[in-house]
Amino acid sequence: MRRFESVLGEWPSWIDTAPHSPACRSHPPDLFFPSATSGGKSVSGQVKKAKAICDACPLLNICREWAFRQPIQQLHGIWGGTTRSERRLLRKTGTTQITS
Ligand code: SF4
């Protein structure tokens, strides 16, 4: 079965040794890689759903810090409750905090 993968090519190893189980593990991986072709569901709806799962994840902060350390162009999808475009934007501000 396909697991979460980025174009980095692998499920991040830190997740397998993390002190808690990632919330995303019990959800379809595709939810975290939204696309316009995902069964007619809107991209924004998919993003919102994935972010809600991340918000309840005990690994949120660790995951977000990890995602921010990855090359922007090489990490697709939602990680640590952020999309790639949000990571790009937040990187410019030098913060990992999202204000909504
Ligand atoms: S923060 Fe989101 S992407 Fe990261 S491990 Fe948790 S549920 Fe998965």
Short mmCIF file of all heavy atoms in Angstrom, two decimals, residues 4 11 14-15 22-25 32 50 53-55 57-60 63-64 78-81, ligand 1:
data_model
loop_
_atom_site.label_atom_id
_atom_site.label_comp_id
_atom_site.label_asym_id
_atom_site.label_seq_id
_atom_site.Cartn_x
_atom_site.Cartn_y
_atom_site.Cartn_z
N PHE A 4 2.52 7.69 2.77
CA PHE A 4 2.86 9.08 2.49
C PHE A 4 4.24 9.11 1.88
O PHE A 4 5.15 8.49 2.35
CB PHE A 4 2.91 9.88 3.79
CG PHE A 4 1.57 10.24 4.30
CD1 PHE A 4 0.85 9.35 5.05
CD2 PHE A 4 1.04 11.47 4.04
CE1 PHE A 4 -0.39 9.69 5.53
CE2 PHE A 4 -0.20 11.82 4.52
CZ PHE A 4 -0.93 10.92 5.26
N TRP A 11 8.75 8.06 3.18
CA TRP A 11 8.04 8.43 4.40
C TRP A 11 9.11 8.89 5.38
O TRP A 11 10.08 8.17 5.61
CB TRP A 11 7.30 7.20 4.89
CG TRP A 11 6.65 7.22 6.21
CD1 TRP A 11 7.07 6.52 7.31
CD2 TRP A 11 5.45 7.90 6.60
NE1 TRP A 11 6.20 6.74 8.35
CE2 TRP A 11 5.21 7.57 7.94
CE3 TRP A 11 4.58 8.74 5.95
CZ2 TRP A 11 4.12 8.07 8.63
CZ3 TRP A 11 3.50 9.24 6.64
CH2 TRP A 11 3.28 8.89 7.97
N TRP A 14 11.65 9.98 10.82
CA TRP A 14 11.41 10.44 12.19
C TRP A 14 10.01 10.06 12.66
O TRP A 14 9.79 9.88 13.85
CB TRP A 14 11.62 11.95 12.31
CG TRP A 14 10.66 12.79 11.52
CD1 TRP A 14 10.85 13.31 10.28
CD2 TRP A 14 9.33 13.19 11.91
NE1 TRP A 14 9.73 13.99 9.87
CE2 TRP A 14 8.79 13.94 10.86
CE3 TRP A 14 8.57 12.98 13.05
CZ2 TRP A 14 7.51 14.49 10.91
CZ3 TRP A 14 7.29 13.53 13.11
CH2 TRP A 14 6.78 14.27 12.05
N ILE A 15 9.07 9.91 11.73
CA ILE A 15 7.70 9.57 12.14
C ILE A 15 7.64 8.17 12.73
O ILE A 15 6.92 7.92 13.69
CB ILE A 15 6.72 9.73 10.95
CG1 ILE A 15 6.55 11.23 10.63
CG2 ILE A 15 5.38 9.09 11.26
CD1 ILE A 15 5.57 11.55 9.53
N PRO A 22 1.28 9.30 14.37
CA PRO A 22 0.77 10.44 13.62
C PRO A 22 -0.72 10.27 13.31
O PRO A 22 -1.17 9.18 12.96
CB PRO A 22 1.60 10.42 12.34
CG PRO A 22 2.06 9.02 12.19
CD PRO A 22 2.21 8.48 13.59
N ALA A 23 -1.45 11.34 13.44
CA ALA A 23 -2.90 11.29 13.18
C ALA A 23 -3.20 10.92 11.74
O ALA A 23 -4.23 10.30 11.45
CB ALA A 23 -3.52 12.64 13.53
N CYS A 24 -2.33 11.27 10.83
CA CYS A 24 -2.57 11.00 9.42
C CYS A 24 -2.50 9.51 9.09
O CYS A 24 -3.01 9.09 8.06
CB CYS A 24 -1.59 11.78 8.55
SG CYS A 24 0.13 11.58 9.02
N ARG A 25 -1.89 8.75 9.93
CA ARG A 25 -1.68 7.33 9.62
C ARG A 25 -3.00 6.58 9.43
O ARG A 25 -3.05 5.60 8.71
CB ARG A 25 -0.85 6.68 10.72
CG ARG A 25 -0.48 5.25 10.42
CD ARG A 25 0.77 4.83 11.11
NE ARG A 25 1.95 5.20 10.33
CZ ARG A 25 3.18 5.08 10.76
NH1 ARG A 25 3.42 4.62 11.95
NH2 ARG A 25 4.19 5.42 10.00
N PHE A 32 -3.84 14.13 1.98
CA PHE A 32 -2.78 15.08 2.29
C PHE A 32 -2.03 15.56 1.04
O PHE A 32 -1.09 16.33 1.13
CB PHE A 32 -1.80 14.46 3.31
CG PHE A 32 -2.47 14.27 4.65
CD1 PHE A 32 -3.28 13.17 4.88
CD2 PHE A 32 -2.34 15.22 5.64
CE1 PHE A 32 -3.94 13.01 6.08
CE2 PHE A 32 -3.00 15.08 6.85
CZ PHE A 32 -3.80 13.97 7.07
N ALA A 50 -7.63 17.89 5.77
CA ALA A 50 -6.28 17.44 6.15
C ALA A 50 -5.72 18.31 7.27
O ALA A 50 -5.12 17.81 8.22
CB ALA A 50 -5.36 17.48 4.94
N ILE A 53 -7.04 17.40 10.63
CA ILE A 53 -6.39 16.20 11.16
C ILE A 53 -5.03 16.57 11.76
O ILE A 53 -4.68 16.15 12.85
CB ILE A 53 -6.25 15.13 10.05
CG1 ILE A 53 -7.65 14.65 9.64
CG2 ILE A 53 -5.38 13.97 10.51
CD1 ILE A 53 -7.68 13.87 8.35
N CYS A 54 -4.28 17.39 11.03
CA CYS A 54 -2.97 17.84 11.54
C CYS A 54 -3.14 18.61 12.86
O CYS A 54 -2.33 18.43 13.78
CB CYS A 54 -2.27 18.73 10.53
SG CYS A 54 -1.66 17.87 9.07
N ASP A 55 -4.15 19.43 12.94
CA ASP A 55 -4.35 20.24 14.15
C ASP A 55 -4.54 19.37 15.39
O ASP A 55 -4.25 19.80 16.50
CB ASP A 55 -5.54 21.18 13.98
CG ASP A 55 -5.22 22.39 13.13
OD1 ASP A 55 -4.01 22.63 12.87
OD2 ASP A 55 -6.15 23.09 12.71
N CYS A 57 -3.10 16.41 15.73
CA CYS A 57 -2.00 15.44 15.76
C CYS A 57 -0.99 15.79 16.86
O CYS A 57 -0.56 16.94 16.97
CB CYS A 57 -1.29 15.44 14.40
SG CYS A 57 0.11 14.32 14.34
N PRO A 58 -0.59 14.80 17.64
CA PRO A 58 0.40 15.07 18.70
C PRO A 58 1.79 15.41 18.15
O PRO A 58 2.65 15.86 18.90
CB PRO A 58 0.42 13.77 19.51
CG PRO A 58 -0.07 12.74 18.57
CD PRO A 58 -1.03 13.41 17.64
N LEU A 59 1.98 15.19 16.87
CA LEU A 59 3.29 15.46 16.26
C LEU A 59 3.30 16.76 15.46
O LEU A 59 4.25 17.02 14.72
CB LEU A 59 3.68 14.30 15.34
CG LEU A 59 3.71 12.92 15.98
CD1 LEU A 59 4.04 11.87 14.94
CD2 LEU A 59 4.72 12.88 17.12
N LEU A 60 2.26 17.56 15.61
CA LEU A 60 2.12 18.76 14.77
C LEU A 60 3.37 19.63 14.76
O LEU A 60 3.89 19.97 13.69
CB LEU A 60 0.91 19.57 15.24
CG LEU A 60 0.71 20.92 14.53
CD1 LEU A 60 0.44 20.73 13.05
CD2 LEU A 60 -0.43 21.70 15.19
N CYS A 63 6.40 17.90 13.19
CA CYS A 63 6.18 17.73 11.75
C CYS A 63 6.34 19.06 11.02
O CYS A 63 6.96 19.12 9.96
CB CYS A 63 4.78 17.16 11.52
SG CYS A 63 4.43 16.75 9.82
N ARG A 64 5.78 20.09 11.57
CA ARG A 64 5.88 21.40 10.92
C ARG A 64 7.33 21.87 10.86
O ARG A 64 7.78 22.36 9.83
CB ARG A 64 5.03 22.42 11.67
CG ARG A 64 5.00 23.76 10.98
CD ARG A 64 4.05 24.71 11.63
NE ARG A 64 2.68 24.26 11.47
CZ ARG A 64 1.63 24.84 12.06
NH1 ARG A 64 1.81 25.87 12.85
NH2 ARG A 64 0.42 24.37 11.86
N ILE A 78 0.49 18.37 2.32
CA ILE A 78 0.26 19.03 3.60
C ILE A 78 1.04 18.30 4.67
O ILE A 78 0.88 17.09 4.88
CB ILE A 78 -1.25 19.04 3.91
CG1 ILE A 78 -1.97 19.87 2.85
CG2 ILE A 78 -1.51 19.57 5.32
CD1 ILE A 78 -3.46 19.75 2.87
N TRP A 79 1.88 19.04 5.33
CA TRP A 79 2.70 18.50 6.41
C TRP A 79 2.64 19.51 7.56
O TRP A 79 2.79 20.72 7.35
CB TRP A 79 4.15 18.34 5.96
CG TRP A 79 4.34 17.32 4.88
CD1 TRP A 79 4.33 17.54 3.54
CD2 TRP A 79 4.54 15.92 5.05
NE1 TRP A 79 4.52 16.37 2.86
CE2 TRP A 79 4.65 15.35 3.77
CE3 TRP A 79 4.64 15.07 6.17
CZ2 TRP A 79 4.86 13.99 3.57
CZ3 TRP A 79 4.86 13.73 5.96
CH2 TRP A 79 4.96 13.19 4.69
N GLY A 80 2.46 19.01 8.75
CA GLY A 80 2.41 19.91 9.89
C GLY A 80 1.33 20.97 9.76
O GLY A 80 1.47 22.08 10.25
N GLY A 81 0.27 20.64 9.07
CA GLY A 81 -0.85 21.57 8.92
C GLY A 81 -0.59 22.71 7.95
O GLY A 81 -1.33 23.69 7.94
S1 SF4 B 1 1.10 16.97 11.59
FE1 SF4 B 1 -0.20 16.20 9.94
S2 SF4 B 1 1.19 15.43 8.33
FE2 SF4 B 1 2.37 15.68 10.25
S3 SF4 B 1 2.37 13.68 11.21
FE3 SF4 B 1 0.67 14.84 12.08
S4 SF4 B 1 -1.14 14.39 10.83
FE4 SF4 B 1 0.68 13.69 9.70
#
